[in-house]
Amino acid sequence: MAVIPVVDPDDPRLSSFRVLSDAALIRERGLFVAEGRFLVERVLADSRFVVDALLLNDASLAALGTALASLPAATPVFVAERATLEAITGVDFHRGCLALVHRPAPVDIEAAIANTRLVVVLESVTNADNVGSVFRSAAALGAGAVLLSPTCCDPFYRKAVRTSMGAVLQVPSARVDPWPDALTELRAHGFTLVALSPRGSATDLDTFVSGPLPSRIALLVGTEGPGLSKSAEDAADVCVRIPMTGAVDSLNLGVAAGIVLSRLHRSHGSA
């Protein structure tokens, strides 16, 4: 690695770090952002990922010393004080640790689902926190892949990566396109499509998990508020709902998905 002290926030070598708020531009450059020491350490330890550059404060440079030793000699590691870091990025840089990482090659559905019995399918989920939360639950609760409709948030968006605690780096993901017609590909691979729905006509989750379960399950989850579209719900083999007290009419998307995944994982086994 090449450690480069920085005092001028206008240093032209730092141009990529000045567009962190422009998710589309970061993506166009074929990069994603790993923020914080925990995520950066995960990236550095995984040979699938290639680091383009790092921007650190002195404390992070010292803390990551061993992990940084694996970087190629030409990889720039820019080091600056907190005020300079904030001037470069335009964000509150309290973590003092950013890596620009080359995005992994897209994965198709068949590759994503090849070795799993349980997947999550998201429709039109544009909130990065919710997407990240689902990936984190998937990693913790036995779902082997997360599939996304074309209008879902990019799972490698900075906030989604951070909220997932790096789970987007380990749980395979793929786009389902065209939507929802491509869901038939899941059925062709032996998956039963299980839609999460608040409708009273849906099967109670407790009832569903107490009976014989399909060998492969794809859990369909829609965005907060509207939930799944009619076309997606109609494509499902069965609809299930989480039994609630009635004190509230709905749950946060990430919480709801986590509850269902937990019940399926206990009853169905790991991915």
Side-chain angles (χ1 to χ4, degrees):
M1 63 176 177
V3 178
I4 305 169
V6 174
V7 294
D8 180 7
D10 294 323
D11 189 320
R13 295 172 295 180
L14 302 169
S15 59
S16 292
F17 289 101
R18 281 192 281 272
V19 295
L20 295 186
S21 60
D22 191 334
L25 185 54
I26 291 289
R27 184 170 183 169
E28 285 174 11
R29 294 183 179 183
L31 303 172
F32 72 90
V33 179
E35 181 178 358
R37 295 176 196 170
F38 175 79
L39 291 180
V40 170
E41 282 182 317
R42 280 199 164 188
V43 166
L44 292 172
D46 194 327
S47 61
R48 296 174 302 158
F49 297 107
V50 177
V51 174
D52 183 73
L54 292 105
L55 183 59
L56 312 174
N57 59 17
D58 287 325
S60 291
L61 178 64
L64 294 172
T66 301
L68 292 171
S70 64
L71 284 172
T75 303
V77 179
F78 299 102
V79 181
E81 298 295 327
R82 174 171 176 168
T84 304
L85 295 174
E86 291 182 9
I88 293 166
T89 63
V91 299
D92 181 7
F93 212 92
H94 62 281
R95 290 175 177 81
C97 183
L98 276 181
L100 292 176
V101 189
H102 290 275
R103 296 174 67 92
V107 175
D108 62 23
I109 293 177
E110 188 169 353
I113 66 174
N115 299 305
T116 183
R117 298 169 59 199
L118 176 62
V119 302
V120 183
V121 186
L122 299 180
E123 180 187 38
S124 301
V125 180
T126 57
N127 182 285
D129 285 323
N130 283 335
V131 170
S133 292
V134 169
F135 270 86
R136 189 173 180 181
S137 292
L141 298 169
V146 177
L147 308 180
L148 307 102
S149 76
T151 55
C152 280
C153 169
D154 175 12
F156 284 93
Y157 175 59
R158 181 168 63 99
K159 196 173 185 183
V161 175
R162 187 174 71 235
T163 303
S164 80
M165 293 297 290
V168 300
L169 307 179
Q170 65 184 99
V171 177
S173 62
R175 293 283 174 179
V176 181
D177 194 14
W179 180 269
D181 295 346
L183 289 172
T184 57
E185 185 174 344
L186 289 174
R187 190 175 287 110
H189 284 280
F191 282 88
T192 296
L193 305 182
V194 178
L196 181 56
S197 171
R199 301 184 193 281
S201 58
T203 301
D204 186 286
L205 177 61
D206 293 333
T207 301
F208 180 72
V209 298
S210 66
L213 290 176
S215 60
R216 305 187 89 184
I217 294 175
L219 176 64
L220 277 59
V221 183
T223 190
E224 287 202 29
L228 287 167
S229 65
K230 185 178 185 304
S231 59
E233 198 167 301
D234 287 348
D237 298 298
V238 60
C239 293
V240 300
R241 60 180 174 84
I242 299 170
M244 297 189 294
T245 64
V248 296
D249 61 1
S250 64
L251 293 170
N252 167 267
L253 182 159
V255 171
I259 290 171
V260 179
L261 287 175
S262 177
R263 296 301 307 279
L264 291 174
H265 180 57
R266 281 189 291 164
S267 301
H268 189 266
S270 61

